[in-house]
Amino acid sequence: VQLASKVSARLIVPVAMFYDYRLDDGAPNADFTLCDTFKNALKDDESLENAACFQGNCTTRDDALVVCPSGFWGYRHLLGLPVSVQAAPDAPSEIPGADTPSVAVSVSTDPVFTRRPQHEQALQAMGFSWEYADERDATLDMLKATESQVVYFYCHGGLTSEQFPYISVGPPTGKRFTRANLRDWRIRWRTVRPLVFINGCHTTSLTPEAAIDLVSGFIETSHAAGVIGTEITNFEPLAASFAEECLHRFLTKRQSIGESVRGARLKLLKEGNPLGLIYIPYALPGLKVV
């Protein structure tokens, strides 16, 4: 399922949260039950991707007093929200890659990120080629020269005093990464247009509309193939788990970004965490590395 934004990524449609099964919203909460087929799928060893509910065969979908997670589009469909704005080229469906794809990684070194070393080791163990920066200027230099298939930020986010959104990489007191930096450093990807993954944690000062404004910058100014971001505040355990599963699928298994995001959401749901729905792929759902 594809929903294109023709004006700005700030016009957020929470399409992953659309629920299209019958639901009696006038009934008391105590009257609702959770789908038995889904509960049984949680107990077995199979991936939820193979469960009947997530294959479009939920037996309770017409029961208005039974809730099944497969009713949410983010769990059942391959979603993409490509952004077409101003002079940016059309969103591509392919990212050219070698036998060993590359990831350009930029991280915050704030000590609050206690899982960062473990997370970096997990990503490196997947066998990607690796570019790395841990402060703002080095990140911009890396992005200007990179031909990586994915640009990955493990970072904070916030608002300047003028209410402009920024990414915080490197030490907490370091320089901020803003949309204007992309233009100032003349970062424009031509040979390889990467997918940009902004995994921002502990970001409480940003509204979704302000945070997603960075999406338009990467696409309009730098011609990224797409951007993955989050709708709401994210926390490190979720951020690390989702990124590891999503990037493994996208770069190692060569699944499309729609498949990769859905698969990561379902893996977290299998573990009892529904918040994989907060990730938004601003890209064609069929985008893949070839």
Side-chain angles (χ1 to χ4, degrees), residues 129-143:
S129 296
W130 192 259
E131 298 179 84
Y132 187 85
D134 59 6
E135 62 92 30
R136 202 279 307 265
D137 286 359
T139 294
L140 289 164
D141 290 340
M142 176 180 71
L143 297 187

Side-chain angles (χ1 to χ4, degrees), residues 2-280:
Q2 180 176 310
L3 179 66
S5 173
K6 296 179 65 176
V7 179
S8 170
R10 292 168 67 99
L11 302 178
I12 297 172
V13 179
V15 70
M17 293 294 294
F18 287 1
Y19 187 86
D20 62 2
Y21 292 176
R22 289 189 63 207
L23 193 68
D24 184 357
D25 62 358
N29 290 345
D31 290 354
F32 290 100
T33 59
L34 188 61
C35 174
D36 285 334
T37 305
F38 168 70
K39 288 193 290 186
N40 291 333
L42 283 180
K43 298 174 185 177
D44 63 34
D45 295 329
E46 285 288 318
S47 166
L48 288 180
E49 291 169 273
N50 300 321
C53 292
F54 300 96
Q55 292 290 323
N57 299 314
C58 179
T59 58
T60 64
R61 64 182 301 163
D62 292 323
D63 190 329
L65 293 177
V66 175
V67 177
C68 182
S70 66
F72 290 100
W73 281 20
Y75 289 134
R76 200 170 79 250
H77 298 304
L78 309 183
L79 300 177
L81 286 81
V83 178
S84 299
V85 291
Q86 298 188 21
D90 291 338
S93 60
E94 296 179 348
I95 302 175
D99 292 338
T100 302
S102 177
V103 181
V105 179
S106 176
V107 301
S108 167
T109 55
D110 189 335
V112 74
F113 286 105
T114 58
R115 290 191 54 168
R116 180 174 60 83
Q118 177 185 351
H119 181 48
E120 291 178 5
Q121 291 171 10
L123 293 178
Q124 287 180 304
M126 295 179 192
F128 314 142
S129 296
W130 192 259
E131 298 179 84
Y132 187 85
D134 59 6
E135 62 92 30
R136 202 279 307 265
D137 286 359
T139 294
L140 289 164
D141 290 340
M142 176 180 71
L143 297 187
K144 184 173 177 64
T146 190
E147 292 189 357
S148 291
Q149 284 72 36
V150 171
V151 170
Y152 179 60
F153 291 94
Y154 194 68
C155 59
H156 287 301
L159 291 173
T160 67
S161 57
E162 295 81 17
Q163 300 302 297
F164 292 119
Y166 66 83
I167 293 171
S168 176
V169 294
T173 57
K175 299 176 183 176
R176 298 162 175 169
F177 185 124
T178 67
R179 176 175 176 169
N181 295 148
L182 297 171
R183 181 178 62 251
D184 294 341
W185 258 256
R186 295 183 173 86
I187 295 170
R188 179 165 292 179
W189 297 303
R190 294 181 173 86
T191 304
V192 177
R193 296 171 60 189
L195 175 72
V196 177
F197 191 153
I198 305 174
N199 213 4
C201 307
H202 306 286
T203 303
T204 58
S205 60
L206 285 176
T207 64
E209 292 82 4
I212 299 304
D213 191 55
L214 288 165
V215 173
S216 295
F218 279 109
I219 291 174
E220 184 178 346
T221 302
S222 299
H223 296 178
V227 179
I228 296 178
T230 58
E231 288 191 74
I232 62 173
T233 297
N234 195 11
F235 295 96
E236 192 177 16
L238 168 65
S241 296
F242 184 92
E244 289 164 18
E245 182 66 18
C246 184
L247 292 175
H248 170 68
R249 288 170 175 267
F250 186 63
L251 292 175
T252 303
K253 300 179 74 173
R254 300 297 177 99
Q255 292 182 352
S256 70
I257 196 58
E259 293 173 298
S260 301
V261 169
R262 178 176 179 260
R265 287 171 173 157
L266 289 174
K267 181 177 184 294
L268 288 173
L269 183 63
K270 181 82 171 183
E271 297 168 356
N273 190 338
L275 291 180
L277 291 174
I278 71 174
Y279 283 90
I280 309 174

